[in-house]
Amino acid sequence: MILLLSVTIGLSVIAIFPNFSEAQSELKTFITHSGKVIRTTGDVIDPLYTVSTVEFDPMEYLREFNYGEVSKLADGTTVREYTIIAEDDKVMEVSPGVFYNVWTYNGTVPGPTIRATEGDLLKINFINNGSKEHTIHFHGIHPAGMDGVFEAVGPGGGKFVYEFEAGPVGVHPYHCHVMPLEEHIVHGLYGVFIVDPKEGREPADEMVMVLNGLDTDFDTENNFYAANTIPFYYQHHPIQINSHELIRIYVVNMVEFDPINNFHLHGNLYEYYPTGTDLVPSFYTDMITLSQTERGIMEFVYEYPGKYLFHAHKVEFSEKGWVGIFLVNDSSESDDSDVEYGS
Amino acid sequence: MTVMWNMAVSETSKFKVVASGVIPFAFVVVMMLYIFGPGADLLDLGVALPEITIEKVDFIDSEIQATVRNTGPISVQIAIADVNDRIQPAAVEPDGFLDRYETALVRIPFEWNEAEPYRIGITIDDGTRFEKEIESAAFALEFTSDLVIFFAIIGTYVGIIPVMIGLLWLPFIRRISKSKYHFFLALTVGLLLFLGIDAIEEAIEVSNENLAGSFNGILLTATVVVISFIGLYYAGQKLIDRADSSKLTKPVAIALMIAIGIGLHNFGEGLAIGAAVGLGSIAFSTFLIVGFALHNTTEGIAIAGPLSKDKTLSKKSLITKLIGFGLIAGSPAIFGAWIGGFSYSPFSSVIFLAIGAGAIFQVIVVILRLIREEGDKNLSGSSVVAGIAIGMLVMYLTSILV
């Protein structure tokens, strides 16, 4: 009886007072949505506001354009040569403390932003260093054999050269087109392909935003959403822009599973060029709705300095990472001579 | 038996006995060392999937607190907390790294609304999200003297008073014939059988809803029921054996055992009530309280049954014993309500419910033996059969009220 009783008491003590791992003494603080300061002796897990970095740098990706190795044909046509290597074994920290197997073009999600001018001859040397078949399927106009659908490139160093003329003008996605397609896309095999008009566009501070999602537990629902892969990144690393300066965003929606995504800008409206194929804007709005691979070009100028949010107005997406901040600096204090357009 | 055998043999063969016992054990140790040491590759099959269980969610002032336990085979790191699938900043105390079975408290500052449902999610380092749904948010109970008294009153109402009322049937049971007395004993068996099955069902339900698979809820329940049963059976037999030589008469000893068994059972009922109040299902716990109170009057009859047999007790001593037994059987409801309300843990609930069930089954065995000793050797007399059947039915009907 006594034995039974002591076993009972012992077991229940263990159950009632769980064995917390050894305590830390240092007091840390963090601030909530409503500005409340929380103190804790434990770990702070705050991907929203804590300034943290992971392997991939969305700030670098934002304004990085790959123009390729440039050469000229005898007739004066510009030839641009790119090398893209696919891999599928990389485990990347996608949000502080969360590790996910990404499939990459040139080591990043999204892959490099390929940029050319309409009419250029493009030569894309594709190497598949992954363990599965992969391809590159460009949206745009090209011969059937260059479509990256029926020409699967074998794993372990398989090669293929995509050759076609850049066009039409606009912003397009490229992605792997091997079945099961959804798997190859959601793991990260996609990127942006920009075709500039021959006459160019007005000089602007240009950036690329791929709206994407990450299904880290494979339940065909996204656990995270983001502009450029890392959730909340541009919230704790605001994008610095200048007032009275033209901002141009090439935005591409690559979210899977959810039928739509959208882009809302605070304190301003933007001229919107769907798919970027036309040089005249179709809308002047602060809200566009984007279906899968739907994309376009946004142009706007901020008059007043300060902090402005941009985010999905599908609030579920913004509260899972697709939210950022433009920090508008007063241009009278800064030099805006570095603004340029294209190559 | 081994002891006797050992005494019969010489010193050298004693050594042999020890050696023959130790050698296989030594091989077991070698086998285990091999599999964890050089043979570790053998175990390196497949992928170990991490698992955590959100065991408890408390709603306090502007904050939601989740108690998280690593119930998987490998260590995990807590990476993200969310409320209704929306990511929230949070604190993990003492830290986010959890070894097997280790727990942490995740504090999520959140302006929650009373009586609304919430889904609390925790994402770990490999990106897997685990969730617990709360049907209706309510303030976690704080340990105040008002609440302590409140639970004590409820425990008294549910446990002590109904049992005492049930004991009032004693004079009636005393005056009836032997076969009618058997009927009442059998009725007790029926009542208890129902309570035992009920407790097991409850234990399995709690473990299914709140315990991780790695706790093996059903087998945990079975193990504790059996240990509780044999432990009490052993202790009870000692008590009855001693009864012959001590002041306790055999009927009193049996009644005492029934009171202890029912007491352990009522502890489980107290836990259920405390937990229901704690989880904010107030209306539900009102039903629970009324139902248990009605239900528990029958438990008084169970104690009164064997006691009525003892004609040697003086009136005064009988009354003291009745009050004593009533307290033993009823007051654990108060302790149960305190624990259930202030520090609810699904694991301890399963343990207590299973102990209660084991205690009940032990009491059933004792009463059946009493009936057999009283003359109904096959337990097939009409009064016994009818008693058990009616006991079950009465319990079923009163349980609908809960």
Side-chain angles (χ1 to χ4, degrees), chain B residues 135-147:
Chain B
E135 280 173 20
S136 165
F139 269 103
L141 296 183
E142 293 207 35
F143 195 81
T144 59
S145 57
D146 280 359
L147 260 177

Side-chain angles (χ1 to χ4, degrees), chain A residues 5-19:
Chain A
L5 210 67
S6 54
V7 168
T8 312
I9 291 169
L11 277 175
S12 48
V13 164
I14 291 168
I16 293 168
F17 305 102
N19 51 326

Side-chain angles (χ1 to χ4, degrees), chain A residues 11-318:
Chain A
L11 277 175
S12 48
V13 164
I14 291 168
I16 293 168
F17 305 102
N19 51 326
F20 288 116
S21 52
E22 64 270 21
Q24 302 173 348
S25 51
E26 194 194 339
L27 209 61
K28 293 168 205 146
T29 56
F30 70 101
I31 296 161
T32 69
H33 292 306
S34 50
K36 212 171 126 186
V37 179
I38 304 289
R39 278 168 226 289
T40 177
T41 53
D43 293 342
V44 173
I45 43 170
D46 178 13
L48 281 72
Y49 302 110
T50 304
V51 179
S52 50
T53 51
V54 289
E55 210 177 318
F56 174 65
D57 184 357
M59 206 51 91
E60 198 183 304
Y61 172 82
L62 187 70
R63 293 182 173 108
E64 197 170 57
F65 302 97
N66 188 340
Y67 293 97
E69 295 271 323
V70 182
S71 57
K72 294 262 185 198
L73 290 183
D75 65 356
T77 309
T78 304
V79 180
R80 297 183 187 271
E81 198 170 340
Y82 308 83
T83 301
I84 292 187
I85 301 168
E87 285 171 307
D88 52 27
D89 61 346
K90 194 171 175 180
V91 174
M92 191 176 93
E93 191 175 17
V94 290
S95 176
V98 179
F99 297 84
Y100 177 66
N101 170 217
V102 286
W103 299 2
T104 58
Y105 287 132
N106 288 0
T108 58
V109 179
T113 299
I114 293 174
R115 191 161 183 179
T117 306
E118 189 184 22
D120 290 352
L121 195 62
L122 305 186
K123 203 174 160 193
I124 293 124
N125 302 307
F126 177 58
I127 303 166
N128 178 9
N129 282 344
S131 60
K132 293 176 162 64
E133 290 184 335
H134 297 300
T135 63
I136 307 178
H137 160 69
F138 286 87
H139 286 213
I141 299 166
H142 46 246
M146 295 293 143
D147 201 36
V149 174
F150 304 112
E151 309 77 24
V153 182
K159 287 189 173 79
F160 192 90
V161 181
Y162 297 94
E163 276 184 308
F164 54 88
E165 196 180 299
V169 165
V171 50
H172 312 291
Y174 67 86
H175 58 87
C176 180
H177 212 299
V178 169
M179 299 298 281
L181 184 55
E182 194 177 56
E183 182 185 63
H184 286 252
I185 293 177
V186 298
H187 272 86
L189 288 172
Y190 49 80
V192 176
F193 169 43
I194 297 170
V195 181
D196 292 323
K198 283 189 174 126
E199 62 274 31
R201 294 180 198 267
E202 200 186 329
D205 181 1
E206 298 195 307
M207 44 192 92
V208 175
M209 286 191 195
V210 176
L211 311 183
N212 48 5
L214 294 166
D215 174 22
T216 54
D217 52 10
F218 314 106
D219 59 356
T220 67
E221 277 181 35
N222 287 308
N223 294 59
F224 303 98
Y225 297 87
N228 299 337
T229 311
I230 311 300
F232 304 107
Y233 193 85
Y234 298 124
Q235 181 161 271
H236 47 73
H237 288 80
I239 298 171
Q240 310 250 351
I241 56 174
N242 294 322
S243 62
H244 307 292
E245 182 182 350
L246 181 64
I247 310 297
R248 181 176 298 123
I249 302 176
Y250 298 90
V251 58
V252 180
N253 178 40
M254 289 306 297
V255 162
E256 274 297 330
F257 310 121
D258 303 282
I260 60 152
N261 199 344
N262 51 41
F263 193 125
H264 169 55
L265 184 68
H266 278 225
N268 213 340
L269 277 77
Y270 48 83
E271 307 274 10
Y272 186 63
Y273 306 77
T275 321
T277 42
D278 213 329
L279 298 182
V280 180
S282 303
F283 305 109
Y284 183 56
T285 180
D286 64 1
M287 180 70 192
I288 51 162
T289 301
L290 299 163
S291 179
Q292 269 69 39
T293 71
E294 210 174 338
R295 68 280 185 184
I297 299 171
M298 301 163 52
E299 286 179 346
F300 54 88
V301 175
Y302 270 100
E303 191 175 340
Y304 309 108
K307 279 202 295 191
Y308 298 94
L309 273 182
F310 61 98
H311 60 92
H313 222 301
K314 166 81 178 116
V315 180
E316 178 194 356
F317 298 179
S318 59

